[in-house]
């Protein structure tokens, strides 16, 4: 799978490269826009993993929604835009320990499941139908709980962003 | 052999190449003689004032938040729409329950007036003795709107 590898590394490069810009950019608007490419690259990786529904969801929700919200958040705060972001290091030792723990657990997970990886099939079978069947049968309760979580998010966000009533 | 997503990828690739060729060819062909007033932002002949990045009304943020909630709801609707015919009434009422819970949130934001747009208060110019007609000054709050 020569083409597959090339496309994989292309998306990996887009994801990691733009994520680096997000982290190291001093201008928060540039950081927010390069997050667009990070989300997009992750969507591409999902496609390569044959998770087509997840990929479309990633584009629809993260690229289409979350990023718009993030840009609004950046543009709403006029102090942040004009000031350069500090990208220095704070709490280096705890951060290193935390990063090492996360990396270690991810690497452990990777090597534990490594043998199960098979070559990708030549055609994509849509995962939307199995996801729908599982949501409606085995995972009915998490599905309903998800709507409650969305409700809480909506009411909480609307409550916090509301202007205090002028008397 | 191309998969469906391979075609999507091809479209994205062609889109990028199309724009890149247009810009590069234009860059090669055009004369390059900049001077300061040519490089300013085009503002219909006016001199641009202030920063491009202005503050937005906080309403945009609330609307975007509500949008995302219903965006996620639509994501759940897609797999349901594929299977509900085969799963029958149970799946139907499951989705009705899901939608009802979200609709409660919608009713809440509607009732609380979060979907209403904050309009800036009208500024009525007033006449002052010895000064003439004076424009009412914008407050900081109104500039943001």
């Amino acid at each position: 799978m020569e083409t597959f590898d090339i496309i994989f590394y292309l998306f990996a490069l887009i994801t990691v490269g733009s994520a680096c810009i997000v982290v190291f950019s001093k201008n928060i608007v540039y950081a927010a826009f390069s997050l667009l490419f990070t989300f997009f690259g992750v969507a591409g990786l999902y496609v390569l993993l044959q998770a087509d529904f997840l990929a479309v969801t990633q584009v629809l929700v993260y690229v289409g929604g979350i990023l718009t919200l993030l840009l609004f958040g950046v543009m709403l705060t006029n102090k942040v835009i004009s000031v350069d972001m500090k990208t220095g290091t704070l709490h280096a030792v705890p951060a290193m320990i935390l990063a090492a723990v996360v990396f270690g657990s991810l690497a452990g997970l990777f090597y534990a499941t490594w043998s199960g990886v098979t070559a990708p099939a030549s055609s994509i079978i849509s995962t939307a139908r199995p996801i729908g069947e599982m949501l409606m049968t085995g995972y009915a309760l998490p599905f309903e709980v998800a709507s409650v979580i969305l409700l809480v998010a909506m009411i909480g966000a609307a409550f916090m962003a509301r202007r205090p009533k002028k008397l | 052999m191309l998969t469906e997503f391979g075609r999507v990828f091809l479209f994205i690739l062609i889109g990028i190449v199309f724009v890149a060729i247009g810009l590069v060819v234009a860059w090669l062909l055009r004369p390059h003689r900049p001077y300061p007033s040519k490089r300013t932002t085009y503002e219909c002949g006016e001199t641009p004032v202030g920063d491009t990045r202005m503050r937005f009304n906080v309403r945009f943020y609330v609307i975007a938040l509500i949008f995302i909630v219903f965006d996620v709801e639509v994501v759940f609707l897609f797999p349901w729409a594929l299977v509900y015919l085969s799963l029958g009434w149970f799946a139907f009422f499951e989705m009705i329950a899901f939608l009802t819970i979200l609709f409660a949130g919608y009713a809440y934001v509607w009732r609380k007036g979060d979907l209403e747009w904050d309009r800036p208060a009208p500024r009525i110019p007033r006449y002052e003795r010895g000064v003439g007609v004076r424009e009412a000054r914008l407050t900081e709050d109104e500039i943001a709107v």
Side-chain angles (χ1 to χ4, degrees), chain A residues 60 76 78 136 140 144 162, chain B residues 3 55-56 71 94 105 114:
Chain A
L60 195 71
L76 280 164
N78 58 343
M136 287 304 129
E144 298 298 340
R162 192 177 300 145
Chain B
T3 60
R55 251 172 78 191
F56 276 72
D71 207 20
E94 246 181 293
D114 288 319

Side-chain angles (χ1 to χ4, degrees), chain A:
Chain A
M1 291 301 277
E2 195 63 39
T3 329
F4 183 86
D5 289 344
I6 292 168
I7 293 173
F8 170 77
Y9 282 113
L10 178 70
F11 277 119
L13 190 75
I14 289 171
T15 309
V16 175
S18 58
C20 283
I21 296 174
V22 173
V23 175
F24 294 116
S25 174
K26 286 207 189 298
N27 189 326
I28 194 168
V29 180
Y30 291 169
F33 270 108
S34 57
L35 197 60
L36 172 76
F37 293 96
T38 312
F39 287 151
F40 183 76
V42 171
L45 293 179
Y46 283 150
V47 170
L48 294 180
L49 288 169
Q50 314 234 327
D52 59 340
F53 185 72
L54 203 58
V56 173
T57 307
Q58 169 85 7
V59 172
L60 195 71
V61 175
Y62 277 88
V63 179
I66 305 272
L67 203 76
T68 315
L69 188 71
L70 213 73
L71 282 171
F72 276 140
V74 168
M75 287 169 175
L76 280 164
T77 48
N78 58 343
K79 290 280 162 56
V80 178
I81 292 169
S82 49
V83 178
D84 273 357
M85 297 286 285
K86 281 185 184 148
T87 50
T89 35
L90 285 167
H91 307 296
V93 176
M96 276 156 74
I97 292 168
L98 198 67
V101 167
V102 170
F103 178 77
S105 48
L106 281 177
L109 201 66
F110 175 71
Y111 282 110
T113 54
W114 173 243
S115 56
V117 175
T118 51
S122 56
S123 67
I124 286 180
I125 306 130
S126 175
T127 54
R129 186 178 283 271
I131 286 173
E133 274 165 13
M134 280 176 167
L135 272 182
M136 287 304 129
T137 54
Y139 293 90
L141 186 65
F143 172 67
E144 298 298 340
V145 170
S147 77
V148 176
I149 291 170
L150 285 173
L151 176 72
V152 169
M154 180 157 64
I155 290 177
F159 181 78
M160 281 193 285
R162 192 177 300 145
R163 279 187 195 190
K165 273 265 177 355
K166 288 194 189 82
L167 295 172

